[in-house]
Every structure is written in C-alpha cells, then in structure tokens.
Amino acid sequence: MQCGKDRTVMAQAIIRSILILSFFALYCEYLHYFVVLLFCTWPPISSDSHDHHVPTALKDDLKAMFLADTHLLGSRDGHWFDKLRREWQMKRSFQTAMAIHRPDIVFVLGDLFDEGKWCDDDEFQYHASRFRSMFAVPEGTDLYVVAGNHDEGFHYMMTDHKHKRFEQEFHSPSVQLVMKKDAVFVLLNSMAMEGDHCHICAEAERDLHNVSKFLTTLQNCHHEEKPTGICQKYSKFYSKPILLQHFPMYRPSDADCNTVDSAPVSEKYIPFKEKYDCLDKRSTDLLLNLLKPRLVVVGHTHHGCFRILPGEVPEWTVSSFSWRNRNNPTFLLIRFSEGEHSISKCFLPEESTVINIYIFGCVCAVLNILVSSLKIKSLYRKKLF
C-alpha cells in the first residue's frame, strides 16, 4: 500500500516538474519577447532635423522599422541546431515587433543570408523562401531590402548572375527611389559603389545622377505657380532623402561609436578597410554631394553606431538582428513627419537572460522532485519508527 502511495507522490512530482518546464519554455519562447519589446515605443517627433522645404500643414507621420544583418545560415557554416535556434529567435522577435508596433514600412539593410555569395540557385531560393516566412509583414506594411556583401559577394566576388538573382527576387535594384507619405528614401547597393567603371557600378552611378536630378526638380517645384510634369505628378513636396545601404559611409574605425550596442573595446580601434568595412572616401563624398541626405542608415558592422557626417548629416549604424552575432540584437524605430525624424533604439531579449531563465526553471523542476523524494523518505522513516 505504502509503495503505491510513494509512486503516486513521485508521479505527481514529475508531472509538476513537466508543467514547470513547460511554463518556462512558453515564457522564454513566446511571452518574453512581448515583455521586452513592449518597453520599446515609437518616439515623439522632435524639431532637431526640421526641413524647411516641407509645408507645415502636412502632418502624415510615417513609422519605419530598420534592421540589418539577419544572416540566415546556409549549408556550409551553420550547425543545424544553431540554424534552427537563430531563425526561431529572429522570427519570434520580428513577428512580435509587427504585432506590437505595426510599422508602415520595414527596411532590411543587407546580409539577409550568410552564404548567398556561395550558394547555387536552388539553395538561394530556399533561403529566400525562409526569409519571406520569417519576415512576413502584415497587410498595410511595405517591406524593402538592400543587398549586402553576403547576399551577392563583395565587389570582387559579385557576378552579373548573383547580382540579377537578388535584384529580381527582392525587387531590389542597385539604386531605388521609394516615396512614402512625407519621406523620400534612396536605397543603394554598396558593392556597386566600387568606382572602377564596371558596368554594374557605371549603371548605379548613372542612376544616382538621375535620382539627384529628379530630387533637384522636386525641390524647385514650389517656385511654379501652376505645376506641370513631374511637379504635377509628385505634387506633395520636396523632402531631403534618407539614404539606406549596407556599408557605412567612410570612417577610420568604430573608435568614435559610443552607443550602448557599439563594438567592444577590443574591436573599436581596429582600422577599417575601405570598400570592405565601409565605403571609400570618393563614394562617400559623391553620395553626400549628389543626394544631400538628411539621414543615413546602414548596417554591416554588426554593432551600433551614431555619428555626424560632413554637412551635419546624422548616420546610424544598425547592429545585427541575429543572436549569432551579438548577445543583445537591436533594431531602430524611426518616425518621420514634416521633414523631421525621431529615433528609438529597440533591444531584443538578451540570449544570456533567456538561458538564465531556463536554468532557473530547470532548478525549480529538480528541486520539486527532490522535495517530493525527501517527503517520501520522511514518511517511510515515520512508518518504521
């Protein structure tokens, strides 16, 4: 009789431990993302970046989300569990952010894939399908991507085929102009800014000049009493563009980057190699002179950074969205309105925190079984004496 009771007590303890572990798994894999991301909110508009070309009567805010360097693992360098874990973390983070923040537009700033520069067409399509599943956006939200060096290869690795493959799959040409509400975005393929007169680079620079001429025409539209042509078609207003690309603009290193997600001290002072870690000076000057952007947002380094470029142009570097690259991934929420913008940096759950929560849950489950075991032994001793 006592043996049957002991087995019942132990079975109940095991069931309780399973429930404890299930609760912690549910919290870590679903609820914790909501808890963390609810702390990040859309920023209020400040007047620090006012563009006087924009009529103050128009008040149609644009809410934009920026992330970078998702690095979906391929067949060469990724262990199957590492791949499964990272993709689940990114999917849950992104879909939770979509549910909470509901941005109007999402930009992914390159290196969608880890091995796009090596993979064949079948594997590329497999990666693209996974990306679309993980980063699916709700109706009413637009998604744009720019190419990174892991998607097509650095300039010396980039071929016409890999370049066109990515461009066609994601509708992402080397230079793309996106106009949404009160904001104008110029999306750029950084590897096409080599400046060596290859046909890809020559086409990109020609398109940049055309975009510059178009924006200059829009800037002068307010002088026309009766708008015609471009001014009539794009009758909203001129707004200085926001430049988006994978590589940062030229900088010697990350030494001047001091955001909370900036590179560790051991990496900050490593000199940057032009056209590899950042754009070269020539391309940087060309972009600033042609586009005269009001804001630059980039990725590539896997670490955050904020700095001021020549002409008082702010540049934000978005850190990697993958836990494989850092313990505390981040993304940006930027609100654009009337030529102004305000920025919030949002943190995803820290992987170390999730691991510690799991360890605590396992300790609770083991303690529950140990307590039940001690209880059984205590009852057995009382029966003997």
Side-chain angles (χ1 to χ4, degrees), residues 172 198 208 212 242 262 292 307 337:
S172 178
C198 77
L208 274 172
S212 177
I242 299 98
S262 62
K292 297 178 176 57
R307 65 197 192 104
S337 178

Side-chain angles (χ1 to χ4, degrees), residues 9 11 52 60 70 80 147 176 196 232 247-248 262 275 301 313 352:
V9 171
H52 296 285
D60 194 8
T70 54
W80 69 268
Q176 185 176 14
D196 63 350
Q232 186 177 31
F247 287 1
S262 62
K275 303 180 182 180
T301 67
V313 179
S352 57

Side-chain angles (χ1 to χ4, degrees), residues 179-205:
M179 303 176 73
K180 182 80 172 180
K181 292 187 177 180
D182 295 353
V184 177
F185 302 91
V186 177
L187 283 61
L188 179 66
N189 183 330
S190 298
M191 290 76 68
M193 296 304 297
E194 188 78 5
D196 63 350
H197 305 294
C198 77
H199 71 278
I200 294 176
C201 299
E203 180 183 343
E205 292 202 15

Side-chain angles (χ1 to χ4, degrees), residues 134-186:
M134 293 166 57
F135 295 94
V137 296
E139 186 176 353
T141 298
D142 297 328
L143 174 69
Y144 291 91
V145 306
V146 298
N149 56 286
H150 277 265
D151 302 317
E152 299 182 4
F154 284 108
H155 185 269
Y156 71 90
M157 291 181 63
M158 187 170 60
T159 64
D160 283 340
H161 179 69
K162 287 187 283 189
H163 176 65
K164 290 296 182 184
R165 180 175 69 179
F166 187 90
E167 178 180 319
Q168 292 171 2
E169 180 66 31
F170 293 101
H171 308 289
S172 178
S174 293
V175 179
Q176 185 176 14
L177 182 67
V178 175
M179 303 176 73
K180 182 80 172 180
K181 292 187 177 180
D182 295 353
V184 177
F185 302 91
V186 177

Side-chain angles (χ1 to χ4, degrees), residues 262-311:
S262 62
V265 175
S266 59
E267 297 180 27
K268 272 190 176 185
Y269 301 96
I270 299 175
F272 274 14
K273 181 180 177 181
E274 295 182 43
K275 303 180 182 180
Y276 187 85
D277 298 308
C278 61
L279 290 186
D280 63 353
K281 291 181 180 179
R282 184 206 72 92
S283 296
T284 297
D285 292 340
L286 176 69
L287 291 172
L288 292 176
N289 290 331
L290 279 179
L291 300 177
K292 297 178 176 57
R294 58 169 160 142
L295 174 68
V296 178
V297 188
V298 300
H300 187 52
T301 67
H302 297 176
H303 304 296
C305 185
F306 172 75
R307 65 197 192 104
I308 301 297
L309 301 172

Side-chain angles (χ1 to χ4, degrees), residues 60-77:
D60 194 8
D61 291 1
L62 176 70
K63 296 178 179 178
M65 176 180 176
F66 297 81
L67 59 134
D69 296 276
T70 54
H71 283 274
L72 271 64
L73 293 176
S75 58
R76 295 191 180 195
D77 295 337

Side-chain angles (χ1 to χ4, degrees), residues 214 217-218 220-235:
F214 175 79
T217 300
L218 288 187
N220 295 325
C221 282
H222 66 281
H223 294 306
E224 297 188 11
E225 294 183 6
K226 295 182 179 180
T228 60
I230 290 175
C231 294
Q232 186 177 31
K233 184 176 180 180
Y234 301 97
S235 58

